[in-house]
Structure formats: structure tokens, C-alpha cells
Amino acid sequence: LSYALWLSYDTDANDSPTLLEAQVQFQVMEHVFCTYFLIELVIRFLAFKRKRNAFSDGWFVFDLFLVTMGVAEAWIMSIVLLLSRSQDSSVFANSSSLRLLRLLRLSRIARTARLLRAAPELMIMVKGMIAAARSMLTTGVLVIAVLYVFGIAMRQ
């Protein structure tokens, strides 16, 4: 949840195309979250009795992909960009295309979907809220229509 909140703030406030050009607070938090997710993944990997079974677990493979992308963006691409700038190479000169890779970070939020599988009560609540949304939308439209009619009537 804290990463989802930070990601929303980062998306709104961070306009730099790469992590190297971002303000210090964005760099620090990116490294903190990347380290946290990497440590979590290593602990989960070490928890498997047979390490081969880790790669047959769908959630572990999904998290491995996300952490790999995060490490690639935060650490590996930063090193590559630093080296390419020091050698005056223009291979990565237009790094704004790398900003598209940042959209993949949004898929980390999908990790919260595991909560729905772990706690069926949450799924029941979500289904109830979806069912209630239709009646709330109808009520909202009705309230807006009544306000519109009375707004016109009181204006006259």
C-alpha cells in the first residue's frame, strides 16, 4: 500500500525521464523500494524447501519478473546511462523512451490481488460493492436530475 501511494506521488511530481535526472527524494525512495522488494523475493525464495518449486509458483514468477524489471530500471539502466554519458555515446541519448518502461511499475500494484485470493471475505465485500455501485449510480443520476430541475426552476 505504501508503494502504491508513493507511486502515485512519484507519477505526479517526478517529471524527469530517468532516475539519474530525478530529484534526490525520488532516487532514494526508488532504491529503498527496489531493495525492499529484492529482499522480500530472496526471503521467499529461501523459504522454499526445494528451490525448483519456486519457479512453478505463479506468484513467485510474477514477483520475480516485477523485481527484475525494477532492478533493471533502478540499478542496471542507471549504470548503463552513467557509462554511456561518460563515453559520450549517443545510444541512450534520447532516454525519454525509457520512461515508457516506468509504466511497468504499475503492474506491481497487481500484487495486492493476492489479498483477494488469501481472504475470501474481501472478495465477498468487493462483489457487494460492485453490486451496490449500480444502485448508487442510479441514485446519483436521479439526484443530479432533481438538482438540475430545481436549479432551473429557482432561477426563473
Side-chain angles (χ1 to χ4, degrees):
L1 181 64
S2 61
Y3 184 72
L5 293 174
W6 174 256
L7 193 59
S8 66
Y9 173 70
D10 185 6
T11 304
D12 286 341
N14 187 6
D15 293 330
S16 62
T18 63
L19 185 62
L20 292 175
E21 298 169 1
Q23 296 174 3
V24 175
Q25 65 188 9
F26 298 113
Q27 292 181 13
V28 168
M29 290 306 291
E30 183 67 28
H31 293 303
V32 165
F33 280 116
C34 193
T35 304
Y36 173 77
F37 290 136
L38 183 63
I39 290 171
E40 176 194 10
L41 189 72
V42 168
I43 290 171
R44 286 182 51 209
F45 179 73
L46 294 175
F48 281 96
K49 191 171 188 175
R50 296 180 66 205
K51 305 305 182 215
R52 261 185 289 158
N53 292 343
F55 299 104
S56 63
D57 181 23
W59 285 111
F60 182 82
V61 173
F62 177 66
D63 287 342
L64 177 66
F65 171 74
L66 293 178
V67 170
T68 303
M69 293 301 293
V71 167
E73 179 192 0
W75 297 335
I76 296 172
M77 288 306 296
S78 295
I79 292 171
V80 169
L81 286 172
L82 278 175
L83 292 176
S84 68
R85 287 182 186 163
S86 66
Q87 296 174 357
D88 200 25
S89 173
S90 63
V91 175
F92 294 103
N94 187 9
S95 59
S96 62
S97 61
L98 297 176
R99 191 166 174 91
L100 293 175
L101 291 177
R102 294 179 71 191
L103 293 175
L104 286 176
R105 294 191 303 173
L106 293 176
S107 62
R108 290 184 192 165
I109 296 174
R111 298 173 74 188
T112 58
R114 280 190 275 172
L115 288 174
L116 297 178
R117 188 181 72 169
E121 296 85 8
L122 284 176
M123 193 60 185
I124 292 170
M125 290 175 57
V126 167
K127 287 180 181 178
M129 290 185 333
I130 290 171
R134 184 178 53 205
S135 62
M136 290 179 60
L137 179 68
T138 306
T139 304
V141 169
L142 181 63
V143 167
I144 290 172
V146 168
L147 284 173
Y148 180 74
V149 168
F150 277 99
I152 291 174
M154 295 299 165
R155 181 81 174 147
Q156 300 295 332

